[in-house]
Amino acid sequence: MDEMEEELKCPVCGSFYREPIILPCSHNICLACARNILVQTPDTESPQSSRASGSGVSDYDYLDLDKMSLYSEADSGYGSYGGFVSAPTTPCQKSPNGVRVFPPTVPQQPPPQHLIPQPGSLPPIPRNSCITCPQCHRSLILDDRGLRGFPKNRVLEGVVDRYQQSKAAALKCQLCEKSPKEATVMCEQCDVFYCDPCRLRCHPPRGPLAKHRLVPPAQGRISRRTSPRKISTCTEHELENLSMYCVQCKSPVCYQCLEEGKHGTHEVKALGAMWKLHKGQLSQALNGLSDRATEAKEFLLQLRNTVQHIQENGVEFEACLVAQCDALIDALNRRKAQLLARVNKEHEHKLKVVRDQISHCTVKLRQTTGLMEYCLEVIKENDPSGFLQISDALIRRVHMTEGQWGMGTLTPRMTSDFDLTLDSGPLLQTIHQLDFVQMKVPAAPMLQLEECCTQNNSATLSWKQPPLSTIAVEGYILELDDGNGGPFREVYVGSETICTVDGLHFNSTYKSRVKAFNASGVGQYSKTLIMQTSEIAWFTFDPASAHPDIILSNDNLTVTCNSYDDRVVMGNSSFSRGIHYWEMTIDRYDNHPDPAFGVARGDVLKDVMLGKDDKAWAMYVDNNRSWFMHNNSHTNRTDGGISKGSTIGVLLDFSRGILIFLINDEQQGPVAFESLEGAYYPAISINRNVQVTLHTGLPIPDFYTPGEADPTGSVC
C-alpha cells in the first residue's frame, strides 16, 4: 500500500487529505487548503459574467485565462490578478510537494460586523473569489455558496482513514530532523506528534503551552479521525440526501433537484444501480490496468536483468580488450627483440670488418716502416759496389710495397652508418585505425506471425530482426522441410524479409525457419513455424502455358479454342501428394468432337490430342463412348458419351497412385491408370466445337473410399 500514499496526499499541503472536496475538474483538495489558494478577482469581473446561465453540466465555469491573466509566473501557474490594486499580490509559498500556494489575502480595512465569523463556523469567502486547481491549473469563480458548493469526497476520506489506521503502529516524531524517533505523545491543540527530546525542547510544560493537552499517540491518532461519516447530502439542498444520479451531469442529485433544479429534464437513474454499474466499470478498467502493470513489472525485471547483463558483458568485454591489447604489445615486444637482434648483428659485423682492416693495415704499416728504415740505413753506406749489389732488389721491393698500398688498402671497407631504416609508418597507421568492428553473428530473426499465411499450396513468411539488435545483417536464409517430416532445405537466400513459396503440396504440414548471416558468419535459427496448406485444391487454367489457339474467359475457368485441331491447356497448380478431385461441365458440344481430359507433365505437347505422347494420361470421349489413352495407346473402350451439360470428373489419388474418370457422377470404366508418381498438372485438349468450364475445390465423391483395387479393376 506504500505506492498508494501519494494518491492520498493533498497537492497543496503535501499531507494526507483532511476534509477533501472535489473540484469540477475531478481533482481533490483539502478544504483548508482550498481557502488558502483562493484569489480575489476585480469587482469589474462579476462572477455572473464568467458563469454559465445554468444550461451547462457544472455549477462552475472555468475562467477565460487569456482574458483574466491569472498567472503571475510562467512556471507556477498561480498568481493574483495583476490589475487588482486594492488587493496587492503577496509572495507565494511552496507546499512540501512543490506546488505554489498563495496565502489568503489580507484585508485592507476591518470587515463589516456581519462578515466576522462566529465561533465554530468557517470564515466568509471574499466576494468574487477565484480558485485554481493545483494539478491541472484550471481556474473558476466561486458563486455565493463559496466552498460549500463543492461536494465532499467521503470515499477518499474513508480511504485515508483506513490507510492511517493501517500505519498506526508506525507513528514517528514530526520534529526530528534525521531518523525520526518513535512518538511518545501528541498535542491535541498543536496537532503534532512529539518524541520525548523534541517535546522537552519544542513544547515545554510552561507558559501558554502548559494548558495544551498531551495524549498518547494512539489516542491522538483516533482524535485526528473525523467523526463517523454521515449520509451525503445535496450541495444545493443541504437537508436532502442524495438519492438519484443525473446521467447528463454525471453527478448525484436529490429529489428536490429533480423537482426544482436544472436536473428536472435530465435522465436520472437510481443511485444504487449506478453505484453498482460504475463499480463494475471501474473493476473492468482495473483489469486492463492490472495487465499493463503486470507487463510493466515484467518489463522492469527485464531491464534490471539487462543492466546486470550489461555489467557482466562490460567486464568480460573489457577483459577481452585488455587481453587483445596485451597480445598486440607482446607481439610488438617480440618483434622489437628480433629487430634489436638484427641491429646487434649488423653492429658486430661492422666492428669485425673495421677491426680486421685495422689489424691488416697495422701489420702492413709496420712492414713498410721497417723497409723504409732499412733502405735509409743502406743509403748511408759508402761501399758503392756493395750498394749496387742490393740496390735493384731494394728498389723493386719499395715499388712493390708502394703498389700494395695503392690497391684499395687505404679505403675503409665499412662505413659507420647503419643501412637499416625501420618502416613503422604502416604499423602506426594501423594502430591509429585500430577500432571495434562487427565481431558477432546476427541474432535469431523473429517471425512476424500476423503476416505469415498460407493460400492454396503457397506459403508467405515474414520476419524481422529483434528490436534491440544492432548487429548488421547482410541477408537471410529461409528453410522449409518437405511437408512430410523430412529434412530442411533452403528455399530462399537474400536480403528481403518476406518470401512467398509456391508449388507446395496440398493438405501438407510444413515446418519453416529462418536465420540471418553477415561477414562474421551465420546466426541462430528463429523459432520453427508450422504451416498447413489447403486441404482442397483451388486452381484455374493457366494462360501462360496454354497453346496460342486456346481462348480463356470467366477468370480462366472457361476454355474453348479457335482451331479445328486439338489444343492442350493445363491448370496453374501441380499435384504430387494427396487425393484431388475436380470436374468440368460441357457448355457447348457441336458436331460430335472428342475432347480429352486427364493429367500431364509440365512439358506435354500442346498441339496434339492429350495422351498422344508419353507426357499425358487422359480419357477422350465422344457422344457415344470413351477410351483411355497414354503414349498414343488406346485402351478400355467404354460405352457412354457426353453432350451439352454433361459433367466429367477426374479423381487423382497419390496414396494409391491411380487415376479415375467419372461422367455425370458415375465412374467411367475401371481404374484408368496406375503407378502414377511425381508431379502432374490437370489438363484437357479441345477444339473449336467444345467449350468447357472448370470446377475446383470439390470434396472427394461419396462412392470413393481410399483402399485397394479389387481384381475387376473397380474401386472399393
Side-chain angles (χ1 to χ4, degrees), residues 332 334-344 420 422:
L332 185 60
R334 289 193 297 271
R335 187 58 179 166
K336 173 185 175 182
Q338 295 173 357
L339 294 176
L340 286 176
R342 287 183 56 185
V343 171
N344 292 332
L420 297 174
L422 182 62

Side-chain angles (χ1 to χ4, degrees), residues 396-681:
R396 286 196 302 271
R397 285 186 61 190
V398 169
H399 286 302
M400 183 175 63
T401 302
E402 181 183 4
Q404 290 177 350
W405 283 107
M407 298 176 60
T409 307
L410 299 178
T411 301
R413 297 178 185 176
M414 186 65 65
T415 64
S416 60
D417 296 331
F418 283 77
D419 297 331
L420 297 174
T421 301
L422 182 62
D423 186 12
S424 60
L427 179 58
L428 290 175
Q429 184 178 3
T430 302
I431 292 176
H432 292 152
Q433 294 176 348
L434 185 63
D435 201 350
F436 299 104
V437 296
Q438 189 55 256
M439 298 295 293
K440 293 184 179 180
V441 298
M446 297 173 57
L447 289 169
Q448 302 191 81
L449 301 181
E450 65 278 5
E451 298 183 13
C452 298
C453 63
T454 59
Q455 184 177 8
N456 218 15
N457 64 334
S458 299
T460 298
L461 294 102
S462 177
W463 58 89
K464 64 180 181 180
Q465 281 298 104
L468 300 180
S469 177
T470 58
I471 303 175
V473 176
E474 295 181 5
Y476 300 92
I477 301 175
L478 176 62
E479 297 181 355
L480 267 72
D481 69 352
D482 60 356
N484 196 29
F488 283 90
R489 65 188 191 281
E490 294 183 2
V491 296
Y492 171 76
V493 178
S495 59
E496 298 295 331
T497 57
I498 187 170
C499 178
T500 299
V501 184
D502 299 319
L504 302 177
H505 298 297
F506 287 92
N507 195 22
S508 299
T509 301
Y510 285 88
K511 295 180 180 178
S512 59
R513 62 188 185 185
V514 64
K515 58 184 177 181
F517 64 87
N518 59 14
S520 299
V522 181
Q524 296 293 323
Y525 284 106
S526 67
K527 293 183 179 180
T528 300
L529 177 63
I530 299 177
M531 301 177 298
Q532 175 72 39
T533 55
S534 177
E535 296 182 3
I536 300 176
W538 298 85
F539 61 92
T540 64
F541 290 119
D542 183 16
S545 62
H547 191 277
D549 294 335
I550 290 294
I551 301 174
L552 294 171
S553 60
N554 188 24
D555 294 331
N556 297 331
L557 292 175
T558 299
V559 60
T560 186
C561 183
N562 60 8
S563 173
Y564 285 106
D565 296 325
D566 291 309
R567 299 292 185 251
V568 173
V569 60
M570 298 188 301
N572 60 359
S573 294
S574 64
F575 307 127
S576 58
R577 185 184 301 167
I579 304 175
H580 306 279
Y581 178 72
W582 63 96
E583 293 181 347
M584 288 154 286
T585 56
I586 308 299
D587 301 330
R588 179 168 53 81
Y589 187 77
D590 302 329
N591 302 322
H592 309 299
D594 45 3
F597 309 87
V599 296
R601 302 287 191 186
D603 55 349
V604 65
L605 295 177
K606 307 292 177 42
D607 55 356
V608 295
M609 178 183 287
L610 193 67
K612 286 286 187 178
D613 60 0
D614 62 348
K615 308 296 184 182
W617 293 256
M619 175 190 74
Y620 70 93
V621 57
D622 58 17
N623 60 324
N624 292 319
R625 61 192 68 84
S626 66
W627 293 264
F628 301 147
M629 183 166 63
H630 169 64
N631 199 17
N632 204 26
S633 173
H634 307 255
T635 60
N636 296 98
R637 170 179 170 177
T638 304
D639 293 334
I642 60 174
S643 61
K644 180 180 179 181
S646 297
T647 300
I648 293 87
V650 181
L651 180 72
L652 179 60
D653 184 356
F654 282 100
S655 63
R656 295 168 55 190
I658 63 174
L659 183 65
I660 298 174
F661 295 98
L662 295 85
I663 296 181
N664 296 328
D665 298 329
E666 297 290 338
Q667 183 174 340
Q668 183 73 0
V671 173
F673 301 100
E674 297 178 343
S675 302
L676 297 180
E677 296 180 352
Y680 298 87
Y681 291 87

Side-chain angles (χ1 to χ4, degrees), residues 317-335 434:
F317 190 78
E318 182 178 349
C320 180
L321 176 62
V322 171
Q324 289 177 318
C325 291
D326 289 344
L328 292 176
I329 294 173
D330 291 341
L332 185 60
N333 286 331
R334 289 193 297 271
R335 187 58 179 166
L434 185 63

Side-chain angles (χ1 to χ4, degrees), residues 339-412:
L339 294 176
L340 286 176
R342 287 183 56 185
V343 171
N344 292 332
K345 183 178 179 181
E346 182 71 12
H347 174 260
E348 295 297 332
H349 173 67
K350 284 180 175 292
L351 290 178
K352 183 177 183 303
V353 171
V354 173
R355 286 169 178 169
D356 289 346
Q357 190 174 15
I358 290 174
S359 176
H360 177 72
C361 288
T362 301
V363 172
K364 211 164 175 52
L365 180 60
R366 186 170 58 250
Q367 293 175 349
T368 301
T369 302
L371 178 62
M372 290 173 60
E373 291 178 353
Y374 173 69
C375 290
L376 290 175
E377 292 298 328
V378 170
I379 292 174
K380 292 179 181 180
E381 293 292 331
N382 294 321
D383 185 3
S385 59
F387 178 81
L388 292 175
Q389 286 179 344
I390 62 173
S391 61
D392 290 335
L394 287 176
I395 292 173
R396 286 196 302 271
R397 285 186 61 190
V398 169
H399 286 302
M400 183 175 63
T401 302
E402 181 183 4
Q404 290 177 350
W405 283 107
M407 298 176 60
T409 307
L410 299 178
T411 301

